[in-house]
Amino acid sequence: MPISPLAPGAFRSTNAARLLTETRSTLDDLQRQLATGKKSESYGGLGALRFTSLDFRSKASEVKSFQSTITQVNIRVRQLDLGLTRLSKISEDVRSSALLPQFDPDSSGKTSVQKFIRPQFDEAIDILNTEVNGIRLYSGRSSDVRPVLDANTILSGDAAGRAGVRQFILERKAADFGTAPDEGRVVKGGGGASATLTEDGVHPFGFKLTAASSTTANITAALTAGPPANINFNVTANPVEGDKVRFELTLPDNTKQVVELTARTGPLTPAGNAGEFEIGAGTAATGANLRLAIAAALARESTVALPAASAKVAADAFFAGSINNPPLRVSGPPATATALVAGTAANTVIWYQGDDQSLSARATATARIDNNISVGVGVQANEEGIRRVLANLAVFLNESFTNTPTDQGRHQAISDRLRVDLGQTSGVQRVQTILIEIANAGASLKSAEDRHRTKLNFVETVIADVEDSNQEETAARLLSLQTKLQAAYQTTAIISRLNLTDYLR
């Protein structure tokens, strides 16, 4: 006869079965915790602590995102540091080589300094075309564009007839020299006791007359600023030996050249000897000798200092050019040119092909490395400091020399400009300036990386406290529960074997 569930004892029997089921479920959960190390399979199982878990997991994800960004940017910064350090070293090495006094042109017209410079120029171009993970490091926002053309095209132009830096320099030299006898675009004149100098027009080429003076009252010196400017020396009475007249020439690169002429008793051989003029029998003869000395001085300067300045200005103009800002070159026949004109893609090599529209090169590649911190690690190959190195190297590479005093003077004039331009000039950007800015970005990355490491350790500790089970405690509970459950099963098994006969006994 079946026993009704509502019979006496039936409730206790049902409760015992439920307790066994719950205990078994608890045992299974403890076994899962021991295997996975987690208190729960879902956030719901954490109870009120689920909000803490979700919040701190979000924080951990944010920190890891920043860390991933820093890792990628660090690769870029290290490569930039290597490249810019080498460019800086090239600059210093070339500057040091220009300090050496040797002038040793070979049969090809090249000196040992020039032979040293060419591989440095090629290496600089290779550095500027550095690519990391498909990103061109020196191309600004145009990170997929090769920023710089090859060295030969930059120096010599291309097969399509587009002018390279060498053609720029030749044109500018011709425009600054003008035509004889008006070397340096200055007309020499005067008559009788006077000697005059006059710029041949209003244009950016040749010498600019900027000062005149005399150490004696017997020769007056007057400058009319113009433009065009002119200088007039007038011999009112014969000077005495040692008296001087001076005039200042401003060259195309804004350097100054002071010409000083000293009065000497004759005869001078040759007439118009360097830096001197002969005192004649009267003021007219002295004026004529002064004109000869001025002409000789201008001829010297137009073959020594002027071509060095012209080459520097032309190279600077070439390397200042980019796709959206073509370089300025001589307009029309160079010897009589009066203006500069922007080159075009059809007639001029545009050496830099990268981004050229950003006000800040560093801002062309930025990375957010913390909630309120971003760093700029962009670099453009056409930045002033980098252009300065390339332009100075290109000037030397363009030149050819013979073993003459005039060419030695020209070699020295170019060396002097290179040393100044690649030196510690205040107010201008140098490669070291860019390098320092990138190094500062690297320091910011390191600082942020340290902060994130500390923060992530704290966040992960909180998450572990909320989500992870204590393995020792779980194991102890599991053993205790197994013992209790085993006893319960054994008792239940004994009871299940009881029958009415056994009970009556």
Side-chain angles (χ1 to χ4, degrees), residues 363-384:
T364 60
T366 60
R368 190 180 178 192
I369 59 173
D370 211 333
N371 286 318
N372 298 302
I373 300 176
S374 294
V375 295
V377 292
V379 180
Q380 294 179 187
N382 69 334
E383 290 188 57
E384 180 187 7

Side-chain angles (χ1 to χ4, degrees), residues 220-262:
T220 62
L223 168 70
T224 302
N230 70 80
I231 292 173
N232 181 64
F233 292 107
N234 189 42
V235 183
T236 58
N238 267 351
V240 298
E241 183 158 349
D243 286 342
K244 303 176 189 297
V245 295
R246 301 184 184 93
F247 59 94
E248 181 184 79
L249 304 172
T250 297
L251 278 66
D253 62 351
N254 286 322
T255 57
K256 309 289 185 181
Q257 194 74 18
V258 176
V259 176
E260 183 177 86
L261 303 174
T262 304

Side-chain angles (χ1 to χ4, degrees), residues 149-158 162-165 318 349:
L149 299 182
D150 65 276
N152 286 332
T153 301
I154 290 172
L155 292 172
S156 304
D158 61 16
R162 286 184 281 263
V165 66
F318 177 85
V349 167

Side-chain angles (χ1 to χ4, degrees), residues 92-107:
E92 291 303 317
D93 288 348
V94 170
R95 186 171 184 270
S96 297
S97 72
L99 290 170
L100 300 176
Q102 80 268 21
F103 176 67
D104 51 358
D106 61 14
S107 58

Side-chain angles (χ1 to χ4, degrees), residues 202-226:
V202 180
H203 51 69
F205 306 117
F207 295 124
K208 300 303 172 189
L209 307 173
T210 49
S213 63
S214 172
T215 63
T216 174
N218 293 339
I219 302 177
T220 62
L223 168 70
T224 302

Side-chain angles (χ1 to χ4, degrees), residues 120-137:
Q120 311 301 313
F121 185 83
D122 293 343
E123 183 182 357
I125 297 301
D126 286 342
I127 290 171
L128 296 177
N129 283 320
T130 299
E131 180 181 8
V132 175
N133 294 330
I135 297 174
R136 298 285 183 174
L137 301 186

Side-chain angles (χ1 to χ4, degrees), residues 164-378:
V165 66
R166 181 169 288 118
Q167 182 64 30
F168 267 62
I169 291 174
L170 290 174
E171 291 174 356
R172 182 69 197 226
K173 282 183 177 181
D176 285 326
F177 183 83
T179 55
D182 302 329
E183 300 97 334
R185 308 295 291 264
V186 173
V187 178
K188 299 173 286 291
S194 71
T196 62
L197 298 171
T198 305
E199 296 172 11
D200 73 355
V202 180
H203 51 69
F205 306 117
F207 295 124
K208 300 303 172 189
L209 307 173
T210 49
S213 63
S214 172
T215 63
T216 174
N218 293 339
I219 302 177
T220 62
L223 168 70
T224 302
N230 70 80
I231 292 173
N232 181 64
F233 292 107
N234 189 42
V235 183
T236 58
N238 267 351
V240 298
E241 183 158 349
D243 286 342
K244 303 176 189 297
V245 295
R246 301 184 184 93
F247 59 94
E248 181 184 79
L249 304 172
T250 297
L251 278 66
D253 62 351
N254 286 322
T255 57
K256 309 289 185 181
Q257 194 74 18
V258 176
V259 176
E260 183 177 86
L261 303 174
T262 304
R264 298 296 183 194
T265 57
L268 297 180
T269 304
N273 192 32
E276 299 177 339
F277 66 97
E278 184 177 336
I279 302 170
T283 57
T286 300
N289 292 335
L290 181 57
R291 290 193 293 273
L292 287 174
I294 289 173
L298 284 177
R300 285 192 303 273
E301 299 301 335
S302 65
T303 56
V304 176
L306 183 61
S310 297
K312 180 65 173 62
V313 169
D316 286 345
F318 177 85
F319 284 100
S322 60
I323 293 175
N324 292 295
N325 298 284
L328 295 176
R329 56 187 299 187
V330 176
S331 177
T336 57
T338 59
L340 296 167
V341 65
T344 67
N347 63 21
T348 303
V349 167
I350 306 298
W351 74 282
Y352 176 69
Q353 299 288 306
D355 173 39
D356 64 346
Q357 300 187 66
S358 302
L359 295 177
S360 168
R362 261 15 106 241
T364 60
T366 60
R368 190 180 178 192
I369 59 173
D370 211 333
N371 286 318
N372 298 302
I373 300 176
S374 294
V375 295
V377 292

